[in-house]
Amino acid sequence: MVKKQKYIVTSALTYANGYTHLGHIAGSILPGDLYARYLRLKGEDVIYICGSDEYGTAIEMAAIKENLTPEEIIDKYHNSNKKAYSDLLMSFDIYSRTSNDIHKETAREFFLNLYNKGILYSKTENQLFSIKLDKFLADRFVEGTCPICGYEEARGDQCENCGNSLNPLELINPKAKPTGDTPIVKETTNLYFPLSKYKNDLQKWIESKNYWKQNVLNYCKGLYKTGLVDRSVTRDLKWGIPVPVEQYKDKVIYVWIEAPVGYISATKDLFIEKGTPDKWESYWKDKETKLIHFLGKDNIIFHAVIFPSMLMAHGDYVLPDNVPANEFLNINGGKFSKSKGIGWTVNDTLKLFKPDVIRYAIAASLPENKDSEFSFDDFVTKNNSELSDILGNYINRVLVFAKSKFDNEVPKRIDDENNLFLETVKLYKERIANLFDNYKFREALIQTMNIARDANKYFNDCEPWKIYKTDKEKCGHIINDCLQICYSLSIAFSPFIPEASDKILKMLNANKENFKWDRIGDINIKSGHKLGENEILFPKIEIEQESTEKESVSNFNLIDINDFKKIEMRIGEIVNAEKIEKSKKLLKLKVKISDKTKQIVSGISEYYTPEELIGKKIVVVDNLKPSRLMGIDSEGMLLAAKINGELKIITIDGDIKDGAEVN
Ligand SMILES: [Zn+2]
């Protein structure tokens, strides 16, 4: 038996400070999923890793903005994003998170390995300090003008506009966030990773990677020209993994040093889950393993330069084989940005389109070589004129014909009849595999749809409806061919549109015995096999419906009266209130609403004591889906208003009995 090639495929960890959006999908998530699915079809030994990146100042910023604790923020977005990816049919072997114990342990080990070898060095230096906030302003806690491109909202760690990484001290006209005060300069001591020492090793390594994408190579080469700057690996922050060295224990490990180690911890997490906790080593410690990082271009520096040099310094682990970074996907002109709240979240898009349609339309617009444009209309056009008119149409006409003329069975092949079209499909298979192997998924999608396009032409040219009248046997052979192509299409399309692929198999009433890449273009279903029920694969999306949906996206804040009527609000009386251990903000309330009592978890602990709440009559949203906060069920929500940063509960004018409806 041929030894399988081991692969670790990763998609960039998603920052748990907001809802994941189509920019992430196009940048790193979908390409990783397409590639992992393709490798599995080829029978390779692949693990596909992703997860939430949960430390760093962006989490703290989000917590301040949303009036939650960092723990609450990461729980909220980790759970939501994990579900969004699963709804979009992403096939991660694990979606882990960097706040779990296995990651903390792995990150500490990694850090100590470098520290104990004497690789890290300490440096006392000036840093920006906010007197108002009483802390050093690491990374995103400071904003100012980029010294390189002049962009006025550059962050302390990186300029989003030109992509260069920055030191907060370089910012022109720096301001503390969120307070806006001008920081002072103060001394602090941090540990540094000597990136500059790895310049020669990195350069030699990159030279062996002439098969990398040009945009990535250009970026790396540009960086070597301007020189590699040593990186501080500790931060004066509270939210993070404490530095495992006594002298620095009040600092945390810099998030960009520990986050990529998350790929290793997630692999450990996966095999703990599988009950074989040591097996992660057979991937990470085998130099033959191919480690492939999918990411957006803003992450190239970390995956192609910093993390590899850390891996070189550590010495035990495999280095990346490839870093196929994508450019940005622009929707209707503007760049997706989670921090600015621009763009489409996956959750919102899934309300409008089926997962397969989203996957297909995004795959057709992947920004592989340059930024690409995307608009809402692309979903509709791709669904109607490709998925429905070409693929759906082909599957439908073949199955309808087989049902009406061959009793819904696979007709016999004529043995000496050649199968020219299946040979064509095999040629496509080679071409598409080559595109996948070179990370050209956009072109792979076009070629896959071309199989269906050519199959339609084959069906037309053969004119089976005519031949049926003169030579039923020959017609049967043609339809057998056409059904084999349906099976091949199901395999070839499965990385892109897995749900439709399964549906085709179901319509063929076929199993997955031959569901392998190599079987594309083969005879996979037997003559006499009974077919299943036909259904429409991709219903057309009507334009009228589309325009109202479009409106509902752009006017997301407006609802009509019927939406409002869906919300059931009632008067409730608080009969009990208690603090939740470990939470500064949350209280657990028991609220009597007529003859039932509900448990509601509410973020009002900073503004009310439990005692002063008992007996209060409040307005409760009664038909809210139950949720869990800090492990406690919450079955509703109470209404409150924010005044000067303080929450005030909405109370009742006059004596109204609990249970009364609010309109
Ligand atoms: Zn800049």
Side-chain angles (χ1 to χ4, degrees), residues 145-152 154 158-166:
T145 302
C146 171
I148 299 161
C149 74
Y151 180 62
E152 284 181 8
Q158 193 181 18
C159 173
E160 259 194 325
N161 190 50
C162 65
N164 282 295
S165 53
L166 302 172

Side-chain angles (χ1 to χ4, degrees), residues 11 60 68 95 100 113 198 228 284 342 404 458 487 532 600 613 621:
S11 286
E60 282 187 85
L68 293 169
Y95 190 78
N100 65 16
N113 177 295
Y198 289 85
L228 294 174
W284 281 93
I342 305 167
S404 72
Y458 178 68
Y487 194 99
I600 295 178
L613 284 169
V621 179

